[in-house]
Amino acid sequence: MIKRTLVFGNSARLFLRNGQLVVERDGDGADKPQTTLRPQPTTIPVEDIGLVVLEDQQITITHGLLAALLDNNAAVVTCDRRRMPCGLLLPLEGNTIQSERFQAQLEASVPQRKQLWQQTVSAKIQNQGLLLASLGRTADCMFQWARQVKSGDSDNLEGRAAAYYWKTLFADVEGFKRGREEAYPNNLLNYGYAILRAVVARSLVASGLLPVMGIHHRSRYNAYCLADDVMEPYRPFVDNVVVKTMCLFPGIDELNKEVKKELLGIPVCDVVIGGARSPLMVGTTQTTASLAKCFLGELRKVSYPVFDA
């Protein structure tokens, strides 16, 4: 079953009752005059939830509900005053043989990590090229670079491909420059990547892996290095949603409710792995499960998606 993504953009009280997430909005409480017809609080089974995004600063959530969400391997994303994702809460235990997989991950050799990164970069560049081709843009060089990636991407083909990719993908956006603090449509990309990062981190925990221990990304300040690694081949799926959203809402450069609704469809957009089509949230679980087997020596290749418009 596909897990649900829930976004709370207005003030509300969220709590647990009989295994259900209960949403009580302003005016739903028992203190409201009996002469006024009160709407019934919304309820959602906790077991159906995969991702919760808390946007409004006035939302309150009980510890019991947080514990239940984590027990069911849901990820909880918190947002800042600009309603941009700024925090991520994940379960500590997500797999029955977690200790064994942690150990295998920590003991991965440098050559193995470099080979895994080679696969990751190659898959990312290939998917970027496929997205460009689907939009009628020239992408031959992308496919050539994808085949030429060496162990550890020693030639930095990821960077070379990125320079061409962004220039070509947003050729119609005057002065576009990719960066977290840069102008539109970077705000759409940032929001979409934050959702993707949460989905990938959730899958890593479910597969018994440590999101903090990356195969390439390393930072003393980053708690999700492995998520940042694994999400790379999935980024073009986010880019595709952003391009479509820009076409749906031309001239709108802010993250309004309608724009966010499109971006929040990222966890259920289609991906193809091994010839089989599935929602992205299911695909990331396949990817992280295969990565865990690579660390354990049971596989040599990570199951990354192939972009198919």
Side-chain angles (χ1 to χ4, degrees):
M1 181 183 71
I2 302 174
K3 298 289 186 175
R4 297 177 63 177
T5 297
L6 304 180
V7 182
F8 298 97
N10 298 307
S11 61
R13 178 173 178 259
L14 311 179
F15 58 95
L16 183 70
R17 179 193 293 157
N18 298 326
Q20 305 272 317
L21 183 156
V22 182
V23 185
E24 194 174 80
R25 297 178 177 85
D26 288 344
D28 290 353
D31 57 341
K32 191 153 185 178
Q34 294 296 320
T35 55
T36 304
L37 182 63
R38 296 195 302 269
Q40 290 296 317
T42 303
T43 61
I44 304 109
V46 171
E47 62 186 15
D48 294 348
I49 301 169
L51 180 64
V52 176
V53 181
L54 307 175
E55 288 190 341
D56 195 278
Q57 297 291 296
Q58 299 303 313
I59 291 171
T60 61
I61 183 168
T62 65
H63 178 251
L65 176 56
L66 284 174
L69 288 168
L70 296 178
D71 282 344
N72 284 272
N73 197 34
V76 180
V77 176
T78 58
C79 297
D80 58 22
R81 294 184 182 275
R82 298 174 301 158
R83 294 177 176 259
M84 291 297 291
C86 64
L88 175 60
L89 184 63
L90 294 169
L92 283 175
E93 299 179 2
N95 191 278
T96 54
I97 54 171
Q98 186 166 286
S99 178
E100 175 184 326
R101 296 192 171 190
F102 280 1
Q103 194 67 30
Q105 181 184 355
L106 293 170
E107 292 177 352
S109 65
V110 172
Q112 183 184 31
R113 291 200 300 269
K114 286 185 175 181
Q115 290 167 4
L116 292 172
W117 184 238
Q118 176 187 21
Q119 295 178 34
T120 303
V121 172
S122 180
K124 175 185 180 180
I125 298 175
Q126 178 77 9
N127 284 341
Q128 288 176 326
L130 289 170
L131 172 56
L132 291 179
S134 73
L135 297 173
R137 314 289 171 84
T138 303
D140 292 346
C141 59
M142 299 292 289
F143 302 132
Q144 183 177 357
W145 288 329
R147 293 191 296 269
Q148 293 176 346
V149 179
K150 297 178 181 178
S151 177
D153 188 25
S154 56
D155 294 331
N156 191 29
L157 288 178
E158 181 191 21
R160 190 186 309 180
Y164 177 83
Y165 175 72
W166 292 119
K167 177 180 66 176
T168 308
L169 182 64
F170 292 117
D172 298 332
V173 180
E174 184 178 356
F176 174 80
K177 182 179 179 181
R178 173 63 191 137
R180 289 189 59 83
E181 304 300 327
E182 298 294 337
Y184 171 88
N186 282 285
N187 55 342
L188 276 65
L189 292 167
N190 294 341
Y191 193 90
Y193 291 152
I195 297 300
L196 173 62
R197 193 188 199 209
V199 171
V200 171
R202 171 185 176 274
S203 296
L204 287 169
V205 172
S207 296
L209 296 175
L210 281 166
V212 69
M213 297 299 299
I215 56 177
H216 174 75
H217 285 91
R218 294 179 183 85
S219 171
R220 63 189 299 183
Y221 307 109
N222 186 356
Y224 302 102
C225 291
L226 188 58
D228 290 341
D229 289 331
V230 173
M231 68 184 277
E232 294 291 357
Y234 284 91
R235 286 180 183 267
F237 294 92
V238 175
D239 303 339
N240 185 46
V241 173
V242 168
V243 170
K244 290 182 177 179
T245 302
M246 293 170 65
C247 293
L248 282 173
F249 305 100
I252 298 179
D253 59 2
E254 62 179 15
L255 278 165
N256 60 25
K257 184 177 180 180
E258 290 74 21
V259 170
K260 285 184 179 178
K261 182 178 179 181
E262 296 299 320
L263 297 176
L264 289 165
I266 288 168
V268 295
C269 72
D270 282 350
V271 301
V272 177
I273 297 179
R277 191 176 295 271
S278 65
L280 183 142
M281 186 177 284
V282 175
T284 57
T285 301
Q286 293 177 252
T287 297
T288 57
S290 68
L291 177 60
K293 290 183 178 180
C294 288
F295 284 132
L296 291 167
E298 298 173 9
L299 285 177
R300 294 182 61 86
K301 189 173 182 180
V302 183
S303 298
Y304 281 126
V306 176
F307 183 85
D308 182 4

